[in-house]
Amino acid sequence: SRRQRQMCIRDRVKHVHHAFWDAFTERLRERLEPGHVKKLILFGEVYSGDPSVLGQYTYREDWPEDTSPSLDSLLNFQFCYALRQYLRTGEASFGTAQEIETSMRARSAIIPDGKSRPYYNLVPGLDGLNSADKIINFAENHDGINRFRVRGVSEARNFLANALTLTMPGIPCLYYGTEVASSDDQATVHEDAETGRFTYLPAKLANPFNEARQNTNFQRLASLIELRNTLPALHSSSFRSLWIDRDASRDDDGIYAFIRGAKTEDPIIVVCNASPRSSVTAIPGQAMPLVNDQGQPLVKEGQSLEAISMTQLQDDEAARSVAIEWDNSIPHARIPMKAESVALFRIR
């Protein structure tokens, strides 16, 4: 994704006739050289969290006669809202990650009830990727939703939002300033505000870019981005939720875990703890099952989970191995997590 040339069509997409976008994207692709058009992503902004509203622009109006994509992709507002429901709740509270799972399911080949097609066009573009592969995940932007970190949102919680954005399927988009955990202290979690559009490089700093690079949050994000670039599982479209705490349950402790690249030889398990307290991937009587959609084991007898070392992301205590428990041929894992933390595990 990072080698692609991107063209963003902002704000206007839903205010222009759909037929125009069909004609515009088709003719633009025709005019570009074959080598260039394969590197181009045409994505748009449609201010809606409804996947049926977003996904319609990945289909042409004359679908199914012509199944080729119209826009390649959209900004994923559904994911943005779901991320905020889980992590941007203010103070010490936390929400549920259930809507994140819903946003991931919306990108699948499942045809929703009452619909004649999946939400997103899964016919590959000229680069071999479909619109779900190229959807733009984000946590904040220049509009009213603006900064993720406002009053009541910790630096740690801000990092978790970016960590999920970077480890979910799709193309991650980070808003300027988030890499140094910039906070809009004029806004709260309960309001839309555009007060987060502030100067990134204060004049009083002699070497502002160097100072930013020394920021701990910057270094943690850089470490995670490096892992994203080197771990093939994080490039795949393969995704499965493994553990989602339910906010209606008294056992809810803020844990969300999922597996990437489950169909490859080197899958990665990501575990996020939104709680201000230590938590574990378990409830009384049951640990997190490591199974696929068909209930089949994702690991083999004798294997364990090994935490992936990340500079500035984990301390020595977190660099650990987690034993896998077997119960009636089903593997389970009790992964202890520190407060407001994220960890990546490989299978060993």
Side-chain angles (χ1 to χ4, degrees):
S1 298
R2 29 189 199 104
R3 298 185 181 88
Q4 298 279 19
R5 299 181 179 183
Q6 301 182 8
M7 178 179 178
C8 179
I9 303 163
R10 278 193 49 229
D11 294 338
R12 299 299 100 195
V13 170
K14 66 180 180 180
H15 302 297
V16 177
H17 291 299
H18 196 141
F20 168 82
W21 297 121
D22 294 346
F24 174 79
T25 55
E26 180 180 18
R27 294 178 189 178
L28 179 60
R29 292 178 181 120
E30 288 175 351
R31 288 180 65 90
L32 292 175
E33 296 178 4
H36 289 167
V37 74
K38 291 181 180 180
K39 298 178 181 179
L40 177 71
I41 297 178
L42 294 167
F43 71 94
E45 180 184 35
V46 176
Y47 213 127
S48 174
D50 184 344
S52 64
V53 174
L54 297 172
Q56 67 177 311
Y57 294 100
T58 65
Y59 292 95
R60 292 176 54 89
E61 270 199 327
D62 56 359
W63 183 93
E65 287 76 21
D66 188 340
T67 60
S68 60
S70 184
L71 291 178
D72 288 309
S73 179
L74 279 298
L75 289 167
N76 194 355
F77 277 87
Q78 184 186 18
F79 173 78
C80 174
Y81 295 147
L83 197 62
R84 288 169 172 237
Q85 183 175 329
Y86 176 41
L87 295 170
R88 195 178 183 263
T89 50
E91 304 305 332
S93 66
F94 54 88
T96 175
Q98 288 175 259
E99 290 304 313
I100 297 180
E101 182 184 38
T102 299
S103 74
M104 292 295 110
R105 194 183 310 118
R107 297 165 46 186
S108 71
I110 297 172
I111 298 177
D113 291 342
K115 303 289 184 180
S116 59
R117 62 194 186 189
Y119 286 124
Y120 293 95
N121 189 347
L122 300 183
V123 172
L126 296 172
D127 59 359
L129 301 174
N130 63 46
S131 60
D133 295 329
K134 293 179 284 192
I135 200 161
I136 313 295
N137 296 326
F138 71 103
E140 53 195 339
N141 73 5
H142 61 284
D143 278 324
I145 59 173
N146 214 249
R147 297 220 172 256
F148 184 90
R149 191 178 181 206
V150 294
R151 291 204 309 273
V153 177
S154 67
E155 181 175 339
R157 201 73 69 85
N158 186 76
F159 178 77
L160 294 185
N162 286 324
L164 290 181
T165 302
L166 286 164
T167 54
M168 290 283 180
I171 299 174
C173 177
L174 304 185
Y175 190 44
Y176 85 98
T178 196
E179 68 275 22
V180 292
S182 294
S183 176
D184 178 9
D185 295 327
Q186 298 185 57
T188 72
V189 297
H190 304 297
E191 62 180 344
D192 282 354
E194 299 191 9
T195 50
R197 301 176 186 172
F198 41 68
T199 302
Y200 179 54
L201 301 175
K204 64 180 180 179
L205 299 180
N207 297 295
F209 288 111
N210 289 335
E211 185 157 329
R213 292 188 180 95
Q214 299 307 311
N215 181 280
T216 299
N217 194 78
F218 182 101
Q219 294 174 1
R220 296 170 78 200
L221 272 180
S223 177
L224 190 52
I225 290 171
E226 183 179 358
L227 284 178
R228 178 183 170 86
N229 290 338
T230 57
L231 296 173
L234 297 183
H235 301 168
S236 73
S237 59
S238 175
F239 173 90
R240 171 169 167 74
S241 291
L242 296 176
W243 190 262
I244 307 177
D245 281 331
R246 313 291 175 176
D247 55 355
S249 169
R250 62 183 179 182
D251 296 319
D252 179 28
D253 55 9
I255 291 281
Y256 179 45
F258 54 92
I259 187 168
R260 297 293 316 281
K263 299 177 182 178
T264 70
E265 294 181 357
D266 300 302
I268 299 296
I269 293 174
V270 181
V271 187
C272 177
N273 178 22
S275 171
R277 297 173 294 277
S278 297
S279 301
V280 65
T281 58
I283 57 175
Q286 182 183 355
M288 178 175 72
L290 298 176
V291 295
N292 61 19
D293 292 331
Q294 289 75 45
Q296 299 168 331
L298 292 168
V299 296
K300 300 175 182 178
E301 292 276 3
Q303 292 182 324
S304 62
L305 302 183
E306 177 186 73
I308 298 174
S309 177
M310 292 176 274
T311 305
Q312 299 290 337
L313 189 57
Q314 297 173 170
D315 56 26
D316 292 339
E317 181 182 341
R320 59 196 184 277
S321 178
V322 176
I324 294 175
E325 308 167 10
W326 289 84
D327 182 13
N328 294 324
S329 300
I330 300 297
H332 298 78
R334 299 176 186 270
I335 302 176
M337 294 292 297
K338 290 188 173 183
E340 295 185 328
S341 67
V342 64
L344 276 64
F345 295 84
R346 58 166 55 96
I347 296 171
R348 282 287 182 251

